[in-house]
Amino acid sequence: MTSKSMNVTKPKYQQIAVDVAAKIVDQTFTVGDKIHARSTLANKYSVSPETARKAISVLVDLEIVQAKHGSGFYVHSMEKAKLFVDQYQDVQSIHDLKEDLIDSVKKQKEELSHFSEILDKLVDQTKRFDSFNPLNPVTFTLTSDASHLEMTISELNLWQSTSATLIAIKHGDELLVSPGPYAKLTAGDTIYFVGHESTLQRVQNFFYPN
């Protein structure tokens, strides 16, 4: 077993301690083997002697390595080395999962942003399409509460009041296309008209004033 690439977010001495422990687990070092002198570790990992000393101290504190006075440091427990490495990798796994989650959320935000841009373009193009196609008819059904019932088209002055151009009236099953000036509007009629975006609101206000 070899250790994974060391996480630069962890202190360097801790990374070294984990790497040495991993070498004990995969039996690069066995119980009883002498660990490299601190100066050798410092050279191997390109760190200061003080950083190497801290790494050895971690291993001694965890009883993975045993210090023998006047002799040096020796591998003491493979089991405790494995426990240390496993715990470290669990922490790393949590860190990796967190990073994956953050990355996934970031990608989702980017996708939502892209979707929003597409939606904005669609709405903009739809508005442009509507503005360039003013002949698309709008329907509006009159109830008995509507104003101006039983009045002729001529009397209504609908275009002057609303800018709506009346193109048809549906009365029951009968559809009167291009009604003349003497056609009357009654309750239940559906009118078909064309105009600009604000025309519908004007028609509503015309027949149902506040």
Side-chain angles (χ1 to χ4, degrees), residues 1 21 31 33 41 145 155 174 193-194:
M1 172 181 172
V31 174
D33 284 352
L41 282 180
D145 296 328
E155 293 170 338
E174 181 183 5
F193 61 91
V194 294

Side-chain angles (χ1 to χ4, degrees), residues 1-3 18-30 64 75 77-86 89:
M1 172 181 172
T2 58
S3 64
V18 172
D19 196 57
V20 172
K23 285 180 169 58
I24 294 172
V25 174
D26 67 17
Q27 297 186 4
T28 299
F29 303 134
T30 59
I64 297 171
V75 176
S77 174
M78 180 185 292
E79 290 76 13
K80 291 182 179 180
K82 185 176 186 306
L83 179 61
F84 177 46
V85 172
D86 288 345
Q89 289 178 339

